[in-house]
Amino acid sequence: LMPMALILSLLFVALTSNWLKRKSSFRDEIRRGIERSEFSVHYQPVFNLQTQKFSGAEALMRWQRPDGHWVRPDVFISAAESEGMIVPLTRYLLQRVIQDSAQWQLEPGFHLSVNLAAEHLQHDEFMSDIRAFAAGMDHLKPTITLELTERSLIGEDRMVSQRLAELRREGIIIAIDDFGTGHCALSYLQTFPLDYLKIDRGFVNTIESVDGETPVLDAIISLADKLALKVVAEGVENEMQLRYLQNHGVSFIQGYYFARPMESAVLSEWLQEHNG
Ligand code: C2E
Ligand code: CA
Ligand code: CA
Ligand code: CA
């Protein structure tokens, strides 16, 4: 019989080497996925209650493996973030959106949102990436919106706040995504230049009736109002939630109630059909 210590150490080596292999191959798979165009972009329209029209859309990345399997975005995005692949992946997305947009007709000023990871904001080529994107989209004259999570605004980073201020002067809009879920202090709200606050689906889910009480959601809405930020509510799935948000002065609605994320090829026609 092998001594217990030997068995344990063999087991340990087997487990860790297997784990390392899986980890490095995920990175390689993302890289290969980019090379083989396995990633695509879906677009979810956002409804403006004031104009009663769809006034924007959010670009959301999708990954379909060669075997047909769709990898969940939250899974591959966090893997890309932790394995140093989020910047190349985001660059791929930005290029893809430019390509997709060749077949669109949009009203000038239509808000087109992209999600950016914290790491990208610190990157040397962040400004040139965003400017190249804006230049590539210029044929449609959209309003480009950058969706940033609270985590990317942690610590009053002067470089990031200057970069955002500069982009804003160039007509780009900044939205804070998944608001209230980041376990962050709120001081960044005073430091960073922001335009929109996106309320996470988790808070929309707390709405139980049109005239019910949802104190945290209400506080977020009134905070946004005091800071002169526009509010987008995410994950709106039914009429009751819609009415509640409308009664509380929220102007922008994103969710399955109005539209699911859709393929690039149908976005433009869909918008024309629904915006009359
Ligand atoms: P997110 O930025 O909060 O995007 C909104 C998510 O909510 C999307 O999930 C969207 O499909 C989903 N959603 C919208 N309306 C509803 C609804 O009414 N009900 C429900 N149940 N869900 C709704 P998705 O596409 O799976 O993306 C998940 C997350 O992955 C995104 O959350 C974002 O954090 C990340 N992500 C997706 N694409 C990108 C990207 O290109 N770059 C980065 N950095 N992150 C991305
Ligand atoms: Ca988002
Ligand atoms: Ca969100
Ligand atoms: Ca979310």
Side-chain angles (χ1 to χ4, degrees):
L1 276 183
M2 273 195 278
M4 199 56 169
L6 182 59
I7 294 177
L8 282 177
S9 54
L10 281 176
L11 192 64
F12 178 76
V13 168
L15 282 174
T16 49
S17 67
N18 192 33
W19 179 74
L20 283 173
K21 221 167 42 202
R22 267 191 50 213
K23 205 167 148 72
S24 74
S25 83
F26 208 2
R27 187 189 158 95
D28 292 343
E29 279 173 33
I30 292 174
R31 201 195 322 270
R32 268 200 302 274
I34 294 174
E35 280 161 19
R36 297 175 185 167
S37 299
E38 291 169 19
F39 294 94
S40 61
V41 188
H42 284 188
Y43 300 87
Q44 185 177 32
V46 176
F47 192 72
N48 180 339
L49 285 168
Q50 278 163 359
T51 62
Q52 293 288 304
K53 285 187 173 192
F54 292 91
S55 58
E58 176 175 6
L60 294 159
M61 214 169 337
R62 295 290 178 262
W63 188 11
Q64 188 173 30
R65 305 303 312 276
D67 65 4
H69 172 70
W70 293 87
V71 187
R72 280 180 45 187
D74 42 348
V75 171
F76 72 78
I77 294 290
S78 59
E81 282 182 339
S82 63
E83 298 187 32
M85 289 302 288
I86 192 65
V87 171
L89 194 55
T90 305
R91 285 199 179 124
Y92 176 84
L93 169 113
L94 297 175
Q95 270 172 23
R96 219 20 218 268
V97 175
I98 293 172
Q99 284 168 18
D100 288 350
S101 75
Q103 53 180 343
W104 298 344
Q105 282 179 293
L106 298 176
E107 292 201 6
F110 185 81
H111 282 210
L112 191 70
S113 305
V114 293
N115 294 282
L116 294 176
E119 187 194 335
H120 208 157
L121 305 187
Q122 315 269 353
H123 195 280
D124 281 349
E125 283 161 53
F126 170 68
M127 295 298 274
S128 56
D129 285 350
I130 300 304
R131 284 174 179 141
F133 178 60
M137 294 301 295
D138 199 49
H139 63 111
L140 292 172
K141 302 263 175 275
T143 299
I144 288 164
T145 308
L146 309 182
E147 298 198 3
L148 315 176
T149 56
E150 291 177 303
R151 198 169 65 79
S152 50
L153 305 180
I154 277 177
E156 321 203 335
D157 188 327
R158 274 185 63 83
M159 180 183 72
V160 170
S161 104
Q162 277 165 4
R163 287 177 164 187
L164 298 180
E166 213 173 310
L167 291 175
R168 241 166 137 240
R169 284 193 291 274
E170 295 167 21
I172 284 165
I173 276 183
I174 314 293
I176 178 90
D177 203 0
D178 299 345
F179 183 80
T181 64
H183 310 289
C184 273
L186 293 174
S187 57
Y188 72 86
L189 290 172
Q190 294 173 316
T191 312
F192 290 93
L194 302 171
D195 301 282
Y196 281 82
L197 187 156
K198 296 193 79 170
I199 298 180
D200 191 72
R201 181 159 65 91
F203 296 110
V204 172
N205 268 331
T206 64
I207 302 170
E208 279 173 346
S209 69
V210 171
D211 44 17
E213 297 258 326
T214 52
V216 178
L217 175 62
D218 297 354
I220 292 172
I221 296 168
S222 77
L223 176 65
D225 191 48
K226 291 203 174 83
L227 293 164
L229 298 175
K230 293 177 190 132
V231 178
V232 184
E234 289 188 305
V236 177
E237 294 183 349
N238 59 54
E239 176 138 14
M240 186 262 294
Q241 294 168 336
L242 174 71
R243 295 246 169 282
Y244 183 97
L245 293 160
Q246 189 163 27
N247 292 345
H248 286 74
V250 173
S251 298
F252 297 91
I253 304 287
Q254 182 176 354
Y256 294 172
Y257 179 75
F258 281 119
R260 289 182 178 247
M262 58 187 77
E263 284 178 31
S264 156
V266 298
L267 175 72
S268 191
E269 252 182 75
W270 191 97
L271 286 169
Q272 267 152 32
E273 198 182 312
H274 289 82
N275 274 348

